[in-house]
Amino acid sequence: MLTLKAQAALASFLLAGAAGAATTNGIANGGFEAPPPDGNWLAAGWMTAPTGNPVQWSSDAHSGSHSALLTVPKGDGASVLFQDSVGHGGLAPLGAANVGDTPTLSFWAKGDVGANGDLYLTLRYMGAAGGPVTAVAQHFSVSAGWTQHTFLSAAAVPAGATSLFFELTSAAGAQVGGRVNAVYLDDVQFNLTTAPVPEPETYALLIAGLGVVGAIARRRRA
């Protein structure tokens, strides 16, 4: 008789024909290479809040030719950089089929020369009415050299979400190491992974395969 472990292995093999997990990038111009379409944008796909310390388009890049520079020149206020996955990023609107999908967000960052920086990343799931359904945030301490960071607090897509809103903010407060709190940001990557869904043919194959398992088990008992 086949053990439960063997039956489970067979079922997994048969389900291998299911449609694989689909991954979609939700960030537009994550490397900040495409120039701004007009004066209201930092770079294509990215908006910056009209604060006293706006985000700057920098040539100090992890890869390519450009990055975003978030600063707090006088020790107060903050640079704010944001992108809406549908309005700016070109990601298809989220719907009921996306509930439970898993997001992964990573980026490269470094502090100003000779000092560390701080960066706050907030991920908001926006609803049809324009307000946030839920939000998660994480603080990053950025070192002097280019380092990749991963947003660990990202939660699965909740019910009612229609888009994602990314907001990155440099910390406000005292200068770090006698220098301004500057953070360079580059190569932002967001992936939304849709769980695989077995196709009808796969279900039929699974049922047929389990029938074979049962027949073998009955024959062995006989």
Side-chain angles (χ1 to χ4, degrees), residues 1 5 10 15 19 31 36 43 47 50 66 73 92 113 117 120 124 136 139 141 153 163 173 190 192 197-198 222:
M1 179 187 244
K5 183 177 181 180
L10 177 60
L15 284 172
M47 303 289 285
H66 295 95
V113 178
Y120 290 91
R124 294 182 176 87
V136 287
H139 166 257
S141 293
S153 302
S163 70
F190 174 84
L192 185 63
V197 178

Side-chain angles (χ1 to χ4, degrees), residues 19-49:
T23 302
T24 305
N25 183 18
I27 291 288
N29 195 23
F32 303 98
E33 297 302 306
D38 58 46
N40 296 322
W41 298 68
L42 167 76
W46 292 98
M47 303 289 285
T48 179

Side-chain angles (χ1 to χ4, degrees), residues 103-118:
T104 303
L105 194 149
S106 65
F107 59 89
W108 287 80
K110 75 169 187 175
D112 198 5
V113 178
N116 294 337
D118 291 291

Side-chain angles (χ1 to χ4, degrees), residues 156-174:
V157 177
T162 57
S163 70
L164 302 110
F165 189 88
F166 311 98
E167 180 180 309
L168 300 109
T169 307
S170 55

